[in-house]
Amino acid sequence: MRLLRPATITDAVHHLNNDRDGSLLYAGGVEVALGLRSGALTCSSLIDTKRIAGSYGISAIGDEVRVGPATTHYMIASNPLIAAELPLLGEACGHLGTVRIRTQGTIGGNFAFAHPHTDPGTAAQLYSGFVDLISGSGPRSVSIEDFWTAPYTSACRRDEIIESIRLRPLGSGWIAVHERLETVHRPPTAIVCLAARIADEQMLECRIAVGAVPPHPLRLRSLEMSLAGAPVDDIDSVVAKAIPDVAQAVSAQSDLLGSADFKVAVLTGLIRRAADLAADRSRHATIEDRA
Amino acid sequence: MRPKLVAPAWPETARLDAPAKVSGSAEYLDDLPEPGGCLYAAAIRSDRPHARVRSIDISAASGMPGVEAILYRDRLFGVNAGMRIGEDAGEGAVARGEQTVLSTCAVRFEGDFIGLVVAHDQRAAQAAAASVRVEYDDLPHVYTFEEAMAAGAPLVHPELGSNVAYEDELAWGDVGEGLAQAAHVVQGTFFGGHAFHRPIEPATSCLVIPQGPELTVWASAKMAFGLRDQVARALGIEPASVRVRIPYIGGGFGAKQITPAVICTAAVSRALNRPVKYRATDLESFRVTSRHAITYRARAGFDRQNRMTALDVELELDTGAYFTGARIVTHNACISAWGCYRIPHFRVWATAAYTNTVPAASFRATGKNQTTFGIESLMDVAAHELGTTPWDIRKANVLTRGEFPAETWLVRGTPYVADVPPIDTDFTELIDQAMRGIGWIAGNGVTPGDPQPPAVAVDNPQPDAHVVRGRGIALSLRHGTQGGGRAHAMVSVSPRGVVTVHHNAPDLGTGVYNVLAIVAARTLGVEQSRVTVGHPDTANGMAFVGTIAQRTTVEMGNAVQEACRRLISDLLDVAADVKGGNRDEWSYANGVLSRGSEEYPFELILASARATLPVSMAAVGSYGYAPSEDRAFGGLDHWAPGAAAAEIEIDRRTGEVRILRYCAVADAGMALHRTSSVRQVEGGVVMGLGLALYEELHYGHAGLENGDGWGYRIPTAADLPEELKVILVENCDGPGPFGSKGLAQTSLPCVTPAIGNAICDALGVRITTSPFTPERVLTAIQENTMAVTSQYPSSR
């Protein structure tokens, strides 16, 4: 097995095209190392993306925040720009896995692996934005909402490399909450990211992204519309009425983490909890709570 | 009862093994230097739950690079493939289905042992084992007790004609009459499923080194002599030709059984005259042994004063594919089914059935976790139905110090005079301490009948309307050790003043060596730093059944103490010989021999005696119980009681259970090393939290679905209660050295019932199947029913 360490994205694309079927990209190597060790993955060459110029770092560009794909979860969770502009992404990266995984794993690797239980991916769904990809055919951008297509499947093709992730902050007046159910360090059973604008005990607008239960992170647009304009006191009943729609949207599957019915129940329970928390925070709003 | 002693104020020193373990220099089996020419073994195991083995094709494997040998049914390397391993079935055995060294014609669980590949390195051995092609004729399987006992069920051992493995019964009084006398009868059914012990070290591993006609078997095992004898028997050689040595062990909890893989590794090593190392993979560890799944079904009668008149219990045990632990665990479940209560009329009938699951055997507090869940849940059901409190009903019924459970009893219909000590604890004190420990009742001496509101400000300043809190208590009465023969230990002293303890009590991580060092140091009156404790080695001849069943402090501790006393006696003789005077004129204290104004450190006496004595002096001590006719508890020398109280919080939207406060109270007799004792009790609580909230083995369409480190998770520090308190009761009234008792298993059985009772207190709904996963809790909330079904096991 060869280890290739390109310094530019052009070189990386070149390596990838030269050995399209036999090469694997890696940054933190969290998933790749496990896959290679177990035999689930094989490769003739490993392409280390950490030395590619621009692969690290977090910066504000126009009205977006750019995150380099090799940026680790720990760097994101502890970055002041993220805390100010994309606080939910920071919180999600701070909850993910273990300390080792957070310091080793990267957001590009997390996105590309397309694990259905991704915390950062679910948080990213709340923010409009794009994943910039590049291949021998040139660059293209895929919206965050279209990036994941199935479990362990993303829009990033085998010949493409993630060049950057661009997310647009929610702006002022939003309160964002990240809720999850995790037992004994398994992948989370359910993840909910909720952002809301609340005034005078009324939910003016909200965004809800869910993960772990559906095949990939997704927005619950229908429930968002139902909650828009609802009095805070009515949130429980609105969510309760929406359970059949939520169940249909997330296509939950039974597995060792629980039955499909249980997962939908937990998901809607977490949405209620997140909405309650957002309402409570709106009453005690501080600058840190603004997304 | 022995006279009550006063705990001396010995200073506590750091645990004997702490420096080595903290620095990483402590050697576990995998750390042992591998001799030159060492080979490596990998097991061939069944991937089917039940099948006939049609053919085994080793052609691909045998041609792989580095492969030296393949042991399987057609090439045995001198091992007796049909030798049964495991315990004797005993008189209550309905049918025998013991595990043999090798599964030659049929496999009965996923992981059944078919053979062993030995190669130059571990990867080559594993790759070759994976390439052995076994063709099966699949047979229908059963995964639960109910499936096994259904009419027409597939038979795990067809030659036996039934899936019943063992039956047991214990009774006193007339349970029918007792129930008839009752003003109120409560009933309930409670279930605790299969679980894995999950030691941090592989469940089985060894390094076998042939040395001439002898084999040295280094093993991560809990029973040195048991392993020696089984290896010798399987290879047809004298036990004296096998030397078992045991290094530090990375946890056991009952998992470190004698396994076919270790026996076969010894066979190949002997045949090839090469060292061979075997280490189970993580996946294999889950397929070596497990905890029994047990259903506790009971009716209890109470009179108008809330006193129990009768308890009628039926137990159903799923013992897995082989007999391995059927007798011991079934019996232990029977003798613990009555809890710790005064019951005039009692009967328990237990049936253990074979299933196509991993063979179940000993598990920390063997057989008692699920029965304690049963009886302690039932007491809360009774309190609720009788309109009293959980503590009042317990105090009204719990046995008090000096009482006996019964005077006579029937074991499978045969009468025996009860041969047990009287209850040696004060449960009402334990209840009060546990409740005070979580702030359920305040101050000292407050009557628990009038509990005060708890101080609830535990990191939850703004609980909302969806979060509910509850509190629960539970008691346990683990019996002290029974049987197993005498424990022997040798203590030697050198002219340099070094005291060495020779023994065969493996240290599974519990601090056994430390306890033995403390006993030796305190008995001889020397600094603990002068005492060294060797690793188990059968070559020293100090027979001991093993570090099992909470026996080591009492049994091996007493043996060491007796050896020390004999040593002192011998030193007095030597002093008289060397320095003159009559033996009676000499006395010994704190390492010094004295006569009148003459005082000599014992090492000086030994140095003076070099001309006539060997380099060091040694004495052997032993300890054992008097033989007993009683087949229920015979040989029991003390009780090991525990109590616990828990305060929990539940999010009704998600079913999450959060442990706010937990207090475990253990009657330690006397804690020989307080820090270690507290950690033992804490460890039991943490292990219990796993069993109460998270851990169970799932069998489904894919077989054992979570038999791996990823699917089966245990609690870590992040899952601990926000406040965990341990209270040790020390009355110095135990049979061990200085009044100590065994306490390793006092806290574990209480955890599931204490939390289950707290959940019921919070929700008003009793969950009868453990563990209390968020799914079961949420289902209970949604269905608001007293009996909760769940996805696992599917038939339940």
Side-chain angles (χ1 to χ4, degrees):
Chain A
M1 185 191 302
R2 290 188 309 157
L3 177 61
L4 304 170
R5 292 182 153 171
T8 67
I9 194 87
T10 308
D11 288 347
V13 169
H14 175 74
H15 289 315
L16 197 57
N17 282 336
N18 273 355
D19 189 10
R20 191 174 295 185
D21 296 327
S23 60
L24 279 177
L25 296 163
Y26 88 96
V30 169
E31 307 292 358
V32 169
L34 286 177
L36 289 172
R37 197 181 304 158
S38 69
L41 295 174
T42 56
C43 70
S44 54
S45 58
L46 272 176
I47 303 173
D48 179 359
T49 62
K50 293 193 294 295
R51 300 185 178 199
I52 296 173
S55 64
Y56 276 109
I58 298 159
S59 55
I61 301 176
D63 57 356
E64 294 177 336
V65 174
R66 180 190 181 279
V67 183
T71 310
T72 65
H73 303 299
Y74 175 78
M75 292 162 72
I76 294 170
S78 56
N79 183 274
L81 181 61
I82 293 287
E85 302 295 343
L86 306 171
L88 219 56
L89 183 68
E91 195 174 334
C93 288
H95 275 106
L96 176 150
T98 62
V99 170
R100 182 189 69 79
I101 291 171
R102 291 195 288 273
T103 52
Q104 186 183 342
T106 66
I107 191 163
N110 184 282
F111 275 35
F113 189 64
H115 197 299
H117 298 259
T118 170
D119 282 281
T122 307
Q125 287 282 0
L126 271 194
Y127 305 103
S128 58
F130 294 90
V131 180
D132 298 322
L133 304 167
I134 188 163
S135 71
S137 312
R140 69 181 179 116
S141 297
V142 179
S143 77
I144 285 288
E145 210 161 341
D146 296 329
F147 184 72
W148 294 283
T149 56
Y152 307 102
T153 308
S154 74
C156 182
R157 298 191 307 260
R158 180 93 190 190
D159 65 339
E160 288 181 315
I161 298 176
I162 296 176
E163 189 176 18
S164 65
I165 294 160
R166 290 178 288 124
L167 298 174
R168 180 168 296 178
L170 290 166
S172 62
W174 288 82
I175 295 165
V177 178
H178 175 240
E179 286 288 312
R180 67 210 295 272
L181 173 66
E182 178 192 303
T183 54
V184 274
H185 322 295
R186 285 172 163 172
T189 304
I191 305 167
V192 168
C193 291
L194 179 145
R197 286 199 307 117
I198 298 170
D200 299 328
E201 295 295 303
Q202 187 179 21
M203 188 170 275
L204 305 175
E205 192 178 358
C206 83
R207 295 183 183 185
I208 301 170
V210 294
V213 179
H216 55 81
L218 52 82
R219 289 272 293 273
L220 295 178
R221 298 265 184 198
S222 173
L223 181 56
E224 290 174 3
M225 290 170 61
S226 299
L227 283 171
V232 165
D233 286 346
D234 290 351
I235 288 173
D236 273 6
S237 61
V238 172
V239 174
K241 281 181 192 164
I243 288 175
D245 290 341
V246 171
Q248 189 172 14
V250 299
S251 302
Q253 301 293 313
S254 297
D255 58 24
L256 286 172
L257 293 175
S259 67
D261 288 346
F262 165 68
K263 290 180 180 180
V264 172
V266 166
L267 202 63
T268 51
L270 290 176
I271 291 170
R272 288 161 57 200
R273 191 157 87 187
D276 286 347
L277 201 53
D280 195 54
R281 282 188 192 169
S282 79
R283 297 180 192 112
H284 306 90
T286 63
I287 191 68
E288 287 80 14
D289 288 323
R290 297 169 59 198
Chain B
M1 192 190 309
R2 62 192 297 154
K4 186 170 179 175
L5 305 173
V6 177
W10 282 303
E12 181 172 301
T13 58
R15 222 172 97 159
L16 182 78
D17 52 342
K21 289 185 173 174
V22 169
S23 66
S25 62
E27 284 191 333
Y28 295 80
L29 192 120
D30 213 27
D31 301 318
L32 297 175
E34 291 151 15
C38 187
L39 300 171
Y40 300 84
I44 308 164
R45 294 183 183 273
S46 161
D47 60 0
R48 313 295 172 93
H50 196 195
R52 270 188 285 274
V53 179
R54 193 191 315 152
S55 64
I56 302 175
D57 180 1
I58 64 162
S59 55
S62 59
M64 293 175 73
V67 172
E68 282 283 334
I70 301 177
L71 184 155
Y72 71 117
R73 66 185 186 183
D74 295 337
R75 182 83 204 279
L76 294 175
F77 291 87
V79 76
N80 180 354
M83 188 191 87
R84 297 174 189 276
I85 57 175
E87 62 175 291
D88 179 8
E91 66 178 19
V94 171
R96 290 184 175 212
E98 286 126 325
Q99 189 167 21
T100 55
V101 170
L102 215 57
S103 294
T104 54
C105 300
V107 292
R108 297 181 176 84
F109 72 99
E110 177 194 326
D112 215 344
F113 186 77
I114 296 171
L116 198 73
V117 175
V118 175
H120 287 174
D121 64 74
Q122 188 78 46
R123 283 176 184 271
Q126 287 173 344
S131 68
V132 172
R133 190 173 172 193
V134 183
E135 291 193 337
Y136 300 98
D137 292 321
D138 286 317
L139 297 168
H141 58 264
V142 288
Y143 280 153
T144 66
F145 180 92
E146 291 82 358
E147 290 173 8
M149 298 298 286
L155 297 178
V156 178
H157 298 273
E159 71 279 11
L160 303 178
S162 163
N163 280 329
V164 174
Y166 190 77
E167 291 173 328
D168 206 350
E169 182 187 28
L170 174 66
W172 61 79
D174 181 335
V175 78
E177 184 185 320
L179 288 170
Q181 292 169 358
H184 191 88
V185 175
V186 300
Q187 57 188 353
T189 301
F190 307 92
F191 176 78
H194 286 301
F196 178 50
H197 317 60
R198 201 61 174 124
I200 197 167
E201 192 181 36
T204 179
S205 51
C206 65
L207 170 63
V208 184
I209 305 169
Q211 291 167 315
E214 296 185 351
L215 278 182
T216 296
V217 180
W218 284 92
S220 176
K222 59 184 179 179
M223 297 184 288
F225 283 93
L227 176 60
R228 182 198 69 168
D229 293 348
Q230 296 237 12
V231 167
R233 195 153 56 93
L235 302 187
I237 58 179
E238 288 299 315
S241 300
V242 180
R243 176 184 183 187
V244 171
R245 305 182 71 180
I246 299 176
Y248 279 119
I249 293 178
F253 318 109
K256 297 296 171 72
Q257 303 284 327
I258 298 168
T259 62
V262 170
I263 291 172
C264 289
T265 301
V268 176
S269 172
R270 182 167 180 261
L272 300 183
N273 197 29
R274 296 273 296 274
V276 182
K277 182 176 180 178
Y278 166 75
R279 181 185 60 194
T281 64
D282 199 41
L283 283 175
E284 284 182 270
S285 287
F286 280 87
R287 287 152 181 84
V288 169
T289 183
S290 74
R291 184 181 81 155
H292 285 73
I294 301 181
T295 298
Y296 180 100
R297 186 176 295 116
R299 292 182 299 161
F302 289 85
D303 65 16
R304 297 191 190 285
Q305 285 73 47
N306 297 339
R307 292 177 305 211
M308 204 184 295
T309 61
L311 178 66
D312 188 12
V313 182
E314 185 183 351
L315 299 174
E316 296 170 350
L317 294 92
D318 172 354
T319 197
Y322 293 109
F323 196 83
T324 329
R327 183 177 65 85
I328 286 176
V329 179
T330 306
H331 187 69
N332 279 2
C334 282
I335 63 175
S336 60
W338 56 277
C340 51
Y341 298 104
R342 189 182 306 109
I343 308 170
H345 306 283
F346 169 73
R347 173 187 175 273
V348 56
W349 175 262
T351 306
Y354 294 115
T355 62
N356 296 108
T357 60
V358 175
S362 300
F363 188 101
R364 192 177 189 179
T366 288
K368 298 177 177 64
N369 293 303
Q370 295 98 322
T371 54
T372 306
F373 175 37
I375 183 67
E376 290 301 305
S377 299
L378 197 66
M379 293 304 285
D380 262 37
V381 171
H384 176 74
E385 294 189 14
L386 296 171
T388 183
T389 63
W391 52 90
D392 280 335
I393 197 159
R394 285 177 171 80
K395 289 187 174 182
N397 287 283
V398 75
L399 288 169
T400 56
R401 182 181 287 274
E403 280 192 279
F404 292 88
E407 293 181 356
T408 60
W409 37 53
L410 300 171
V411 178
R412 295 177 55 80
T414 304
Y416 294 97
V417 175
D419 182 13
V420 293
I423 293 298
D424 54 7
T425 198
D426 302 297
F427 270 112
T428 53
E429 180 189 331
L430 269 55
I431 293 170
D432 288 349
Q433 294 216 42
M435 292 178 71
R436 271 200 293 273
I438 64 163
W440 196 344
I441 55 175
N444 295 319
V446 172
T447 303
D450 185 21
Q452 298 182 4
V456 292
V458 182
D459 191 29
N460 187 16
Q462 294 172 309
D464 60 43
H466 301 286
V467 176
V468 290
R469 288 182 172 175
R471 292 169 300 202
I473 55 174
L475 307 177
S476 74
L477 184 59
R478 202 249 186 252
H479 61 267
T481 49
Q482 301 166 266
R486 294 187 73 82
H488 297 77
M490 180 166 66
V491 176
S492 62
V493 290
S494 75
R496 298 172 69 104
V498 176
V499 178
T500 304
V501 178
H502 309 267
H503 66 101
N504 276 293
D507 192 332
L508 298 147
T510 55
V512 165
Y513 299 175
N514 188 53
V515 163
L516 301 186
I518 288 170
V519 171
R522 290 181 187 175
T523 307
L524 293 172
V526 300
E527 293 293 321
Q528 195 182 325
S529 58
R530 291 172 64 178
V531 181
T532 62
V533 179
H535 287 298
D537 181 349
T538 55
N540 68 29
M542 297 296 109
F544 183 49
V545 67
T547 304
I548 55 175
Q550 196 178 260
R551 71 176 64 229
T552 310
T553 295
V554 172
E555 292 189 12
M556 189 53 80
N558 277 333
V560 168
Q561 192 165 45
E562 188 189 66
C564 291
R565 286 172 178 155
R566 288 186 174 178
L567 198 56
I568 291 170
S569 176
D570 292 346
L571 283 168
L572 294 173
D573 288 336
V574 174
D577 287 347
V578 173
K579 297 294 182 184
N582 294 322
R583 182 192 187 282
D584 294 344
E585 294 173 311
W586 287 88
S587 63
Y588 177 95
N590 299 325
V592 175
L593 292 144
S594 55
R595 184 180 68 147
S597 60
E598 293 180 76
E599 289 189 344
Y600 305 99
F602 71 76
E603 56 267 35
L604 196 62
I605 294 290
L606 285 176
S608 304
R610 265 187 181 163
T612 54
L613 278 177
V615 173
S616 60
M617 271 184 65
V620 172
S622 71
Y623 178 79
Y625 309 115
S628 173
E629 297 292 322
D630 177 8
R631 301 304 296 267
F633 292 89
L636 167 66
D637 65 348
H638 72 287
W639 302 96
E647 181 179 356
I648 59 105
E649 186 175 88
I650 300 171
D651 189 325
R652 295 176 59 89
R653 294 164 298 202
T654 61
E656 290 165 282
V657 177
R658 183 175 157 211
I659 313 297
L660 301 177
R661 299 173 178 195
Y662 193 97
C663 177
V665 184
D667 185 340
M670 198 210 73
L672 292 173
H673 191 262
R674 172 163 282 275
T675 302
S676 296
S677 299
V678 170
R679 297 293 174 263
Q680 270 273 28
V681 177
E682 287 177 344
V685 172
V686 177
M687 189 171 185
L689 287 175
L691 298 169
L693 296 174
Y694 317 116
E695 295 179 48
E696 59 181 339
L697 293 170
H698 298 314
Y699 289 90
H701 296 302
L704 178 52
E705 294 176 332
N706 65 336
D708 60 84
W710 184 244
Y712 189 97
R713 309 301 290 247
I714 59 174
T716 68
D719 305 297
L720 296 183
E722 296 182 17
E723 191 177 308
L724 173 56
K725 185 180 287 184
V726 168
I727 297 172
L728 297 179
V729 175
E730 294 181 89
N731 291 321
C732 297
D733 55 356
F738 311 107
S740 58
K741 292 181 177 180
L743 88 164
Q745 301 176 356
T746 52
S747 57
L748 178 59
C750 287
V751 183
T752 297
I755 292 175
N757 290 337
I759 290 173
C760 187
D761 183 47
L763 297 176
V765 178
R766 181 161 298 281
I767 303 177
T768 58
T769 295
S770 65
F772 312 122
T773 60
E775 179 161 13
R776 289 196 174 113
V777 174
L778 197 59
T779 305
I781 292 167
Q782 291 173 338
E783 295 184 352
N784 196 19
T785 173
M786 293 295 280
V788 180
T789 59
S790 91
Q791 184 189 3
Y792 300 105
S794 55
S795 63
R796 193 162 292 280

